[in-house]
Amino acid sequence: MTPRIIPVELFDLVVFGATGDLSQRKLLPALFHRDLQGQIPPGSRIIGCSRRALSNEDFRAFARKAIEDHVAAADRPPGMMARFLERVSYVTADAAQNAGWAELDKVLNPEPHRIRVFYLAVGPDLFGPICEKLDAYRLVTPRTRVVIEKPLGKSGESAHALNESIGRVFREPQVYRIDHYLGKETVQNLMALRFANALFEPVWNSGHVDHVQITVAETLGVEGRAGYYDTAGALRDMVQNHMLQLLCLVAMEPPTSTQADALRDEKLKVLKSLKPITAEAVPNATVRGQYRAGAANGGAVKGYLEELGSAASKTETFVALKAEINNWRWAGVPFYLRTGKRLPSRVSEIVVTFKPIPYSVFDGQAGPIAPNRLVIRLQPGEGVKLWLMIKDPGPGGMRLSNVPLDMSFADAFNVRNPDAYERLIMDVVRGNQALFMRRDEVEAAWGWIDPVLDAWAASPELPKPYTAGTWGPSSAVALIERDGRTWYEDQDID
């Protein structure tokens, strides 16, 4: 199957923090892939911008290396690199100083009616200063968009202040708060599964669903990010944004359309319906852990404190929690979330477990009857599995087995699966905010997370230790098993 490529309008994309890790690993390779597919029109420009003094040639050499390091050789046909690098230029500018901003103005102003995208691939402390400089130098036009990377604050209060600083310059329809999980192909297919098929929606409720699990597991530790990570932790880094957005897509009511605000209105309703986890409920509804030395990726690895270079830290590298949604569709259905570093497998998936059949017509020789499960795999090996009970082939009576109807996107479509940033950057250019968080969503998510953070901060308890290469502390198992359930762990995980 050949994917349909929809070109976008002519645009200028200015990447602040253009010499940083995100630009190198994700943004430049994503833009190269879109250019390779013919989606970027001739004349569009990619302008790197940071404090680092570079010439255009220096930055093109940086971009070339980023693409060679992160794009397979087979995806770099002769001539394409040169064509892409012709689009690339560089301006040196400092958010805290006036130097360089007049030069950026000079570069952009010959095309004042073109779509302008300012991508802030910088720390959140620079969001406000950069926006102020864009305003002071009159670089914001009616066709300008600004892209904000996480972290969107460290609490509800700081997120509000951040939104205020951005909102003084940009109107909400111009602000794109990016969550790369929402750009993943399988997340998009969650919408298709629910709302383009008659099969699931009639049973997508508390009458038929027993519980939902959302797992985002990483085999890596904090690596070189220990300094940043110790100020964040797994709850801020993963749950407040990625995992709550996945929960919203699973739990939301059918929107009236796929327009951005129709989708985001329904997600906001879910966030506002989450049952608060009070300080009294935190010990039973949440688990936080911190990895110790162990084995991962085929070798011995250090513990978190060793990577941090500290004797003690209350920062969690693992979180498990039980969420509940107080509305008619989901009353009584628990949503179990877990995420962590240095776990046995790298996997992100959503598991919807349906209720058991009310009565079995089969005798004991048929074997146990497992409940149906829908498993939506976000990474790796993106795809969907529907676990069903079927009869084992052959004579000798009725013997039942639990087997999956397994659809791998790579096998089904035989095309390259684009990186999430490819889709999201092009959606910014198109002006489509459907996959981006609205301000009230961000602040509602913090409103649910803040009491947990406050309770943890007030508690003298440290995160529960777990050995690297295991599925977190034993209390995470107890969290779900005291409800008579267990964590789903697919034996086919890579």
Side-chain angles (χ1 to χ4, degrees):
M1 182 179 293
T2 302
R4 187 166 54 122
I5 303 300
I6 305 174
V8 297
E9 284 190 59
L10 211 60
F11 66 90
D12 287 336
L13 171 62
V14 181
V15 180
F16 290 96
T19 58
D21 182 65
L22 178 66
S23 174
Q24 185 177 18
R25 289 187 304 106
K26 293 294 185 180
L27 304 185
L28 289 167
L31 289 161
F32 178 81
H33 274 297
R34 289 302 89 207
D35 195 25
L36 180 64
Q37 294 296 320
Q39 199 163 24
I40 300 179
S44 292
R45 299 182 296 175
I46 299 160
I47 303 161
C49 190
S50 74
R51 292 183 301 175
R52 187 175 169 186
L54 295 176
S55 66
N56 286 336
E57 291 71 25
D58 291 336
F59 185 62
R60 286 176 183 138
F62 174 88
R64 176 188 289 275
K65 186 175 188 307
I67 292 162
E68 289 173 347
D69 288 347
H70 299 284
V71 176
D75 292 333
R76 292 185 266 122
M80 279 305 304
M81 182 74 80
R83 188 181 89 175
F84 177 76
L85 293 178
E86 285 178 3
R87 305 183 183 280
V88 175
S89 61
Y90 187 83
V91 174
T92 302
D94 188 338
Q97 306 292 333
N98 289 322
W101 289 90
E103 177 63 23
L104 182 59
D105 178 44
K106 182 179 176 181
V107 170
L108 291 175
N109 266 341
E111 304 291 347
H113 303 298
R114 184 180 291 192
I115 292 170
R116 286 183 187 175
V117 177
F118 295 113
Y119 199 119
L120 308 192
V122 296
D125 56 318
L126 294 178
F127 292 170
I130 289 175
C131 290
E132 289 170 8
K133 285 289 193 292
L134 294 173
D135 186 40
Y137 282 85
R138 299 186 178 181
L139 296 173
V140 180
T141 69
R143 304 195 79 196
T144 294
R145 300 88 151 94
V146 63
V147 183
I148 308 298
E149 274 280 351
K150 74 163 195 171
L152 299 171
K154 293 183 178 180
S155 64
E157 182 179 2
S158 61
H160 178 77
L162 199 60
N163 283 326
E164 286 289 304
S165 68
I166 297 164
R168 281 192 286 270
V169 178
F170 292 95
R171 296 176 294 107
E172 184 63 24
Q174 294 178 292
V175 181
Y176 291 72
R177 297 172 186 84
I178 199 165
D179 183 340
H180 70 273
Y181 263 66
L182 297 187
K184 292 182 180 294
E185 195 70 44
T186 325
V187 175
Q188 301 300 291
N189 263 292
L190 176 56
M191 294 279 292
L193 281 170
R194 286 196 58 190
F195 305 131
N197 298 284
L199 180 62
F200 293 114
E201 196 59 24
V203 296
W204 208 260
N205 54 58
S206 61
H208 300 277
V209 174
D210 180 77
H211 72 281
V212 177
Q213 297 180 27
I214 302 175
T215 295
V216 178
E218 300 177 271
T219 56
L220 295 175
V222 293
E223 314 299 324
R225 298 173 67 231
Y228 155 73
Y229 197 87
D230 203 53
T231 67
L235 191 65
R236 289 186 178 98
D237 191 49
M238 293 299 297
V239 179
Q240 185 273 334
N241 41 74
H242 302 326
M243 299 188 77
L244 284 187
Q245 285 292 308
L246 296 178
L247 182 149
C248 286
L249 290 172
V250 172
M252 71 183 189
E253 295 297 318
T256 56
S257 72
T258 57
Q259 294 299 308
D261 279 336
L263 290 169
R264 297 189 294 183
D265 286 347
E266 297 304 332
K267 288 195 292 175
L268 181 63
K269 290 177 186 176
V270 174
L271 292 169
K272 289 186 172 181
S273 298
L274 284 169
K275 180 181 177 181
I277 300 179
T278 63
E280 295 74 23
V282 162
N284 289 324
T286 73
V287 173
R288 54 177 172 156
Q290 190 182 92
Y291 63 84
R292 298 292 187 258
N297 296 320
V301 295
K302 296 178 179 179
Y304 175 73
L305 295 178
E306 295 170 274
E307 290 187 335
L308 183 63
S310 174
S313 171
K314 289 184 71 174
T315 299
E316 76 286 354
T317 62
F318 175 95
V319 172
L321 55 83
K322 176 181 176 181
E324 298 177 74
I325 301 172
N326 287 337
N327 63 22
W328 274 37
R329 181 184 287 264
W330 295 112
V333 178
F335 284 67
Y336 299 100
L337 281 59
R338 65 172 173 171
T339 183
K341 292 185 175 295
R342 289 291 187 219
L343 300 182
S345 302
R346 172 180 172 265
V347 60
S348 298
E349 65 188 4
I350 300 163
V351 182
V352 180
T353 300
F354 293 90
K355 290 185 175 180
I357 58 172
Y359 172 75
S360 175
V361 300
F362 304 101
D363 60 30
Q365 292 183 348
I369 298 178
N372 301 130
R373 282 193 175 99
L374 178 67
V375 181
I376 302 162
R377 176 72 65 81
L378 310 181
Q379 65 181 21
E382 294 88 343
V384 178
K385 288 182 180 180
L386 179 60
W387 289 87
L388 301 170
M389 297 301 302
I390 66 163
K391 178 189 176 297
D392 279 347
M398 181 69 72
R399 298 183 306 277
L400 301 176
S401 290
N402 190 28
V403 299
L405 296 177
D406 193 352
M407 194 276 285
S408 160
F409 290 168
D411 294 341
F413 296 101
N414 195 30
V415 294
R416 173 184 166 271
N417 196 8
D419 182 79
Y421 279 95
E422 298 177 42
R423 172 181 293 104
L424 295 171
I425 292 171
M426 292 298 100
D427 275 357
V428 173
V429 176
R430 294 188 190 97
N432 181 3
Q433 291 185 303
L435 301 180
F436 298 84
M437 291 179 286
R438 202 167 57 193
R439 173 176 177 163
D440 50 6
E441 281 185 84
V442 173
E443 295 185 7
W446 277 118
W448 190 70
I449 291 291
D450 275 345
V452 178
L453 289 169
D454 292 343
W456 284 352
S459 171
E461 289 190 17
L462 294 173
K464 305 291 185 185
Y466 65 97
T467 303
T470 66
W471 281 107
S474 58
S475 49
V477 177
L479 173 75
I480 191 170
E481 290 196 347
R482 63 172 165 256
D483 292 340
R485 302 177 176 99
T486 189
W487 292 108
Y488 173 85
E489 290 166 13
D490 193 339
Q491 298 304 309
D492 295 332
I493 291 175
D494 298 334

